[in-house]
Amino acid sequence: ATNFHQLNAGEQKQFLQTAAGAIAQGMLNESLLQECTCAYVDPFRVRSVCVNKARKEVARRRK
């Protein structure tokens, strides 16, 4: 926020466009749902075992 307030109006607009693009790209990426449980390896050690339950891939439009 401090960096944003030190910029002039044109630089603030570019900053907002870049930030919005990065946020939108992050939201459109693939998401993966996993179900994890703990299982004993031996009486003294535990290990996480995860299974993929759902996978969402975003369709990409061609220009």
PDB file of all heavy atoms in Angstrom, residues 15-32:
ATOM      1  N   PHE A  15      -0.264  -0.294 -11.964  1.00  0.00           N
ATOM      2  CA  PHE A  15      -0.137  -1.176 -10.806  1.00  0.00           C
ATOM      3  C   PHE A  15      -1.427  -1.962 -10.582  1.00  0.00           C
ATOM      4  O   PHE A  15      -1.406  -3.180 -10.374  1.00  0.00           O
ATOM      5  CB  PHE A  15       0.201  -0.344  -9.562  1.00  0.00           C
ATOM      6  CG  PHE A  15       0.355  -1.144  -8.299  1.00  0.00           C
ATOM      7  CD1 PHE A  15       1.586  -1.661  -7.939  1.00  0.00           C
ATOM      8  CD2 PHE A  15      -0.723  -1.368  -7.459  1.00  0.00           C
ATOM      9  CE1 PHE A  15       1.748  -2.395  -6.773  1.00  0.00           C
ATOM     10  CE2 PHE A  15      -0.583  -2.106  -6.297  1.00  0.00           C
ATOM     11  CZ  PHE A  15       0.652  -2.611  -5.953  1.00  0.00           C
ATOM     12  N   LEU A  16      -2.566  -1.267 -10.640  1.00  0.00           N
ATOM     13  CA  LEU A  16      -3.861  -1.928 -10.438  1.00  0.00           C
ATOM     14  C   LEU A  16      -4.151  -2.941 -11.541  1.00  0.00           C
ATOM     15  O   LEU A  16      -4.669  -4.031 -11.269  1.00  0.00           O
ATOM     16  CB  LEU A  16      -4.985  -0.898 -10.369  1.00  0.00           C
ATOM     17  CG  LEU A  16      -5.015  -0.045  -9.109  1.00  0.00           C
ATOM     18  CD1 LEU A  16      -6.108   1.010  -9.211  1.00  0.00           C
ATOM     19  CD2 LEU A  16      -5.232  -0.916  -7.879  1.00  0.00           C
ATOM     20  N   GLN A  17      -3.830  -2.620 -12.782  1.00  0.00           N
ATOM     21  CA  GLN A  17      -4.050  -3.553 -13.880  1.00  0.00           C
ATOM     22  C   GLN A  17      -3.194  -4.806 -13.713  1.00  0.00           C
ATOM     23  O   GLN A  17      -3.664  -5.919 -13.931  1.00  0.00           O
ATOM     24  CB  GLN A  17      -3.746  -2.887 -15.223  1.00  0.00           C
ATOM     25  CG  GLN A  17      -4.781  -1.880 -15.642  1.00  0.00           C
ATOM     26  CD  GLN A  17      -4.409  -1.160 -16.926  1.00  0.00           C
ATOM     27  OE1 GLN A  17      -3.246  -1.054 -17.278  1.00  0.00           O
ATOM     28  NE2 GLN A  17      -5.430  -0.652 -17.624  1.00  0.00           N
ATOM     29  N   THR A  18      -1.945  -4.626 -13.311  1.00  0.00           N
ATOM     30  CA  THR A  18      -1.053  -5.765 -13.114  1.00  0.00           C
ATOM     31  C   THR A  18      -1.525  -6.634 -11.954  1.00  0.00           C
ATOM     32  O   THR A  18      -1.562  -7.861 -12.047  1.00  0.00           O
ATOM     33  CB  THR A  18       0.387  -5.278 -12.854  1.00  0.00           C
ATOM     34  OG1 THR A  18       0.798  -4.466 -13.946  1.00  0.00           O
ATOM     35  CG2 THR A  18       1.342  -6.443 -12.698  1.00  0.00           C
ATOM     36  N   ALA A  19      -1.912  -5.984 -10.855  1.00  0.00           N
ATOM     37  CA  ALA A  19      -2.393  -6.725  -9.681  1.00  0.00           C
ATOM     38  C   ALA A  19      -3.678  -7.480 -10.012  1.00  0.00           C
ATOM     39  O   ALA A  19      -3.837  -8.653  -9.656  1.00  0.00           O
ATOM     40  CB  ALA A  19      -2.619  -5.779  -8.505  1.00  0.00           C
ATOM     41  N   ALA A  20      -4.610  -6.836 -10.705  1.00  0.00           N
ATOM     42  CA  ALA A  20      -5.875  -7.490 -11.066  1.00  0.00           C
ATOM     43  C   ALA A  20      -5.627  -8.678 -11.987  1.00  0.00           C
ATOM     44  O   ALA A  20      -6.261  -9.729 -11.845  1.00  0.00           O
ATOM     45  CB  ALA A  20      -6.811  -6.487 -11.731  1.00  0.00           C
ATOM     46  N   GLY A  21      -4.700  -8.525 -12.922  1.00  0.00           N
ATOM     47  CA  GLY A  21      -4.371  -9.632 -13.825  1.00  0.00           C
ATOM     48  C   GLY A  21      -3.784 -10.815 -13.073  1.00  0.00           C
ATOM     49  O   GLY A  21      -4.129 -11.965 -13.347  1.00  0.00           O
ATOM     50  N   ALA A  22      -2.906 -10.539 -12.118  1.00  0.00           N
ATOM     51  CA  ALA A  22      -2.298 -11.618 -11.334  1.00  0.00           C
ATOM     52  C   ALA A  22      -3.334 -12.335 -10.473  1.00  0.00           C
ATOM     53  O   ALA A  22      -3.324 -13.561 -10.352  1.00  0.00           O
ATOM     54  CB  ALA A  22      -1.183 -11.062 -10.464  1.00  0.00           C
ATOM     55  N   ILE A  23      -4.250 -11.574  -9.883  1.00  0.00           N
ATOM     56  CA  ILE A  23      -5.298 -12.175  -9.047  1.00  0.00           C
ATOM     57  C   ILE A  23      -6.231 -13.029  -9.903  1.00  0.00           C
ATOM     58  O   ILE A  23      -6.574 -14.160  -9.533  1.00  0.00           O
ATOM     59  CB  ILE A  23      -6.082 -11.077  -8.294  1.00  0.00           C
ATOM     60  CG1 ILE A  23      -5.176 -10.437  -7.244  1.00  0.00           C
ATOM     61  CG2 ILE A  23      -7.345 -11.656  -7.652  1.00  0.00           C
ATOM     62  CD1 ILE A  23      -5.739  -9.179  -6.642  1.00  0.00           C
ATOM     63  N   ALA A  24      -6.643 -12.507 -11.053  1.00  0.00           N
ATOM     64  CA  ALA A  24      -7.541 -13.265 -11.941  1.00  0.00           C
ATOM     65  C   ALA A  24      -6.864 -14.544 -12.427  1.00  0.00           C
ATOM     66  O   ALA A  24      -7.495 -15.609 -12.466  1.00  0.00           O
ATOM     67  CB  ALA A  24      -7.958 -12.403 -13.123  1.00  0.00           C
ATOM     68  N   GLN A  25      -5.595 -14.463 -12.784  1.00  0.00           N
ATOM     69  CA  GLN A  25      -4.870 -15.653 -13.245  1.00  0.00           C
ATOM     70  C   GLN A  25      -4.805 -16.701 -12.136  1.00  0.00           C
ATOM     71  O   GLN A  25      -4.987 -17.888 -12.386  1.00  0.00           O
ATOM     72  CB  GLN A  25      -3.461 -15.269 -13.706  1.00  0.00           C
ATOM     73  CG  GLN A  25      -2.692 -16.408 -14.307  1.00  0.00           C
ATOM     74  CD  GLN A  25      -3.321 -16.915 -15.597  1.00  0.00           C
ATOM     75  OE1 GLN A  25      -3.962 -16.167 -16.322  1.00  0.00           O
ATOM     76  NE2 GLN A  25      -3.129 -18.172 -15.884  1.00  0.00           N
ATOM     77  N   GLY A  26      -4.568 -16.252 -10.908  1.00  0.00           N
ATOM     78  CA  GLY A  26      -4.520 -17.185  -9.784  1.00  0.00           C
ATOM     79  C   GLY A  26      -5.851 -17.859  -9.530  1.00  0.00           C
ATOM     80  O   GLY A  26      -5.918 -19.043  -9.190  1.00  0.00           O
ATOM     81  N   MET A  27      -6.939 -17.135  -9.719  1.00  0.00           N
ATOM     82  CA  MET A  27      -8.273 -17.706  -9.494  1.00  0.00           C
ATOM     83  C   MET A  27      -8.668 -18.678 -10.597  1.00  0.00           C
ATOM     84  O   MET A  27      -9.466 -19.583 -10.374  1.00  0.00           O
ATOM     85  CB  MET A  27      -9.309 -16.585  -9.399  1.00  0.00           C
ATOM     86  CG  MET A  27      -9.148 -15.742  -8.153  1.00  0.00           C
ATOM     87  SD  MET A  27     -10.249 -14.323  -8.136  1.00  0.00           S
ATOM     88  CE  MET A  27     -11.832 -15.144  -8.033  1.00  0.00           C
ATOM     89  N   LEU A  28      -8.114 -18.498 -11.788  1.00  0.00           N
ATOM     90  CA  LEU A  28      -8.492 -19.352 -12.910  1.00  0.00           C
ATOM     91  C   LEU A  28      -7.635 -20.597 -13.036  1.00  0.00           C
ATOM     92  O   LEU A  28      -7.913 -21.449 -13.874  1.00  0.00           O
ATOM     93  CB  LEU A  28      -8.422 -18.547 -14.216  1.00  0.00           C
ATOM     94  CG  LEU A  28      -9.454 -17.442 -14.353  1.00  0.00           C
ATOM     95  CD1 LEU A  28      -9.213 -16.650 -15.623  1.00  0.00           C
ATOM     96  CD2 LEU A  28     -10.865 -17.992 -14.320  1.00  0.00           C
ATOM     97  N   ASN A  29      -6.610 -20.703 -12.231  1.00  0.00           N
ATOM     98  CA  ASN A  29      -5.758 -21.891 -12.310  1.00  0.00           C
ATOM     99  C   ASN A  29      -6.503 -23.131 -11.844  1.00  0.00           C
ATOM    100  O   ASN A  29      -7.553 -23.057 -11.211  1.00  0.00           O
ATOM    101  CB  ASN A  29      -4.502 -21.698 -11.462  1.00  0.00           C
ATOM    102  CG  ASN A  29      -3.490 -20.809 -12.132  1.00  0.00           C
ATOM    103  OD1 ASN A  29      -3.545 -20.596 -13.331  1.00  0.00           O
ATOM    104  ND2 ASN A  29      -2.576 -20.279 -11.358  1.00  0.00           N
ATOM    105  N   GLU A  30      -5.941 -24.256 -12.146  1.00  0.00           N
ATOM    106  CA  GLU A  30      -6.507 -25.548 -11.771  1.00  0.00           C
ATOM    107  C   GLU A  30      -6.602 -25.663 -10.246  1.00  0.00           C
ATOM    108  O   GLU A  30      -5.732 -25.207  -9.523  1.00  0.00           O
ATOM    109  CB  GLU A  30      -5.583 -26.629 -12.314  1.00  0.00           C
ATOM    110  CG  GLU A  30      -5.878 -28.007 -11.841  1.00  0.00           C
ATOM    111  CD  GLU A  30      -4.846 -28.993 -12.373  1.00  0.00           C
ATOM    112  OE1 GLU A  30      -3.926 -28.619 -13.085  1.00  0.00           O
ATOM    113  OE2 GLU A  30      -5.005 -30.167 -12.044  1.00  0.00           O
ATOM    114  N   SER A  31      -7.675 -26.235  -9.762  1.00  0.00           N
ATOM    115  CA  SER A  31      -7.794 -26.483  -8.330  1.00  0.00           C
ATOM    116  C   SER A  31      -7.946 -27.986  -8.099  1.00  0.00           C
ATOM    117  O   SER A  31      -8.525 -28.691  -8.916  1.00  0.00           O
ATOM    118  CB  SER A  31      -8.978 -25.723  -7.732  1.00  0.00           C
ATOM    119  OG  SER A  31     -10.186 -26.189  -8.273  1.00  0.00           O
ATOM    120  N   LEU A  32      -7.419 -28.447  -6.999  1.00  0.00           N
ATOM    121  CA  LEU A  32      -7.397 -29.869  -6.696  1.00  0.00           C
ATOM    122  C   LEU A  32      -7.958 -30.074  -5.294  1.00  0.00           C
ATOM    123  O   LEU A  32      -7.563 -29.389  -4.353  1.00  0.00           O
ATOM    124  CB  LEU A  32      -5.950 -30.368  -6.772  1.00  0.00           C
ATOM    125  CG  LEU A  32      -5.699 -31.849  -6.611  1.00  0.00           C
ATOM    126  CD1 LEU A  32      -6.350 -32.624  -7.749  1.00  0.00           C
ATOM    127  CD2 LEU A  32      -4.204 -32.102  -6.617  1.00  0.00           C
TER     128      LEU A  32
END
